[in-house]
């Protein structure tokens, strides 16, 4: 049986669940995302084990999103990405997740550059951008 391509969210405290709920308001039901939240009670080995247990079941074409670069979720993801070849992106935001979900649901694959661009392009000064577009 071929392993499925998935989107994995590694976040502090589990805010990724709420982000998925917000994305579902836009895109409908999403079945391609799994969050593995870092809770304060988890040790690094426990958390690594939880993440590893899940990532061992999915395709190396999968992607891991983390909230902050350099934190425990990021470090765990980097280790797994290095071992499996999975892409790991830090700075998780709604446009990045929406892009990845729509790609996976519509094509069954991920365009990593487009996903990274969607996340990067989402960071802007809204008022300045509106003023510039009105000029």
């Amino acid at each position: 049986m071929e392993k499925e391509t998935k989107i994995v969210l590694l976040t502090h405290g589990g805010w990724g669940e709420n982000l998925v709920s917000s994305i579902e308001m836009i895109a409908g039901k999403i079945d391609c995302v799994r969050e593995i939240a870092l809770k304060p009670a988890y040790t690094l080995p426990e958390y690594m084990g939880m993440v590893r247990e899940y990532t061992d079941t999915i395709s190396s074409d999968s992607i891991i999103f983390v909230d902050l670069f350099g934190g425990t979720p990021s470090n765990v993801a980097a280790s797994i990405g290095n071992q499996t070849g999975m892409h790991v992106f830090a700075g998780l935001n709604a446009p990045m997740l929406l892009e990845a979900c729509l790609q996976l649901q519509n094509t069954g694959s991920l365009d990593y550059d487009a996903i990274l661009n969607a996340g990067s392009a989402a960071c802007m000064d809204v008022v300045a951008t509106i003023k510039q577009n009105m000029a």
Side-chain angles (χ1 to χ4, degrees):
M1 184 169 137
E2 192 172 318
K3 294 181 177 181
E4 291 185 77
T5 302
K6 297 288 187 175
I7 299 164
V8 183
L9 307 182
L10 303 184
T11 63
H12 291 86
W15 70 267
E17 273 185 46
N18 291 324
L19 185 57
V20 171
S21 294
S22 297
I23 295 300
E24 287 182 330
M25 291 176 60
I26 299 165
K29 182 70 177 150
I30 296 172
D31 296 322
C32 56
V33 177
R34 165 89 186 265
E35 183 192 20
I36 304 171
L38 175 63
K39 304 290 183 171
Y42 297 160
T43 65
L44 177 59
E46 286 173 328
Y47 189 61
M48 175 67 86
M50 293 167 55
V51 175
R52 189 56 161 178
E53 183 178 345
Y54 179 68
T55 56
D56 283 347
T57 69
I58 60 177
S59 167
S60 62
D61 292 336
S62 298
I63 191 167
I64 303 173
F65 291 128
V66 301
D67 49 6
L68 300 170
F69 176 76
T72 299
S74 172
N75 294 338
V76 166
S79 175
I80 291 171
N82 188 47
Q83 294 168 4
T84 64
M86 288 182 191
H87 283 78
V88 177
F89 291 168
L92 173 62
N93 61 40
M96 174 187 283
L97 181 58
L98 179 61
E99 178 70 22
C101 290
L102 292 176
Q103 284 182 17
L104 203 49
Q105 288 181 319
N106 292 331
T107 69
S109 63
L110 297 169
D111 178 339
Y112 307 105
D113 289 334
I115 294 165
L116 196 55
N117 288 336
S120 297
C123 297
M124 68 179 76
D125 181 331
V126 174
V127 174
T129 301
I130 290 171
K131 287 180 179 180
Q132 181 181 4
N133 289 334
M134 293 177 75

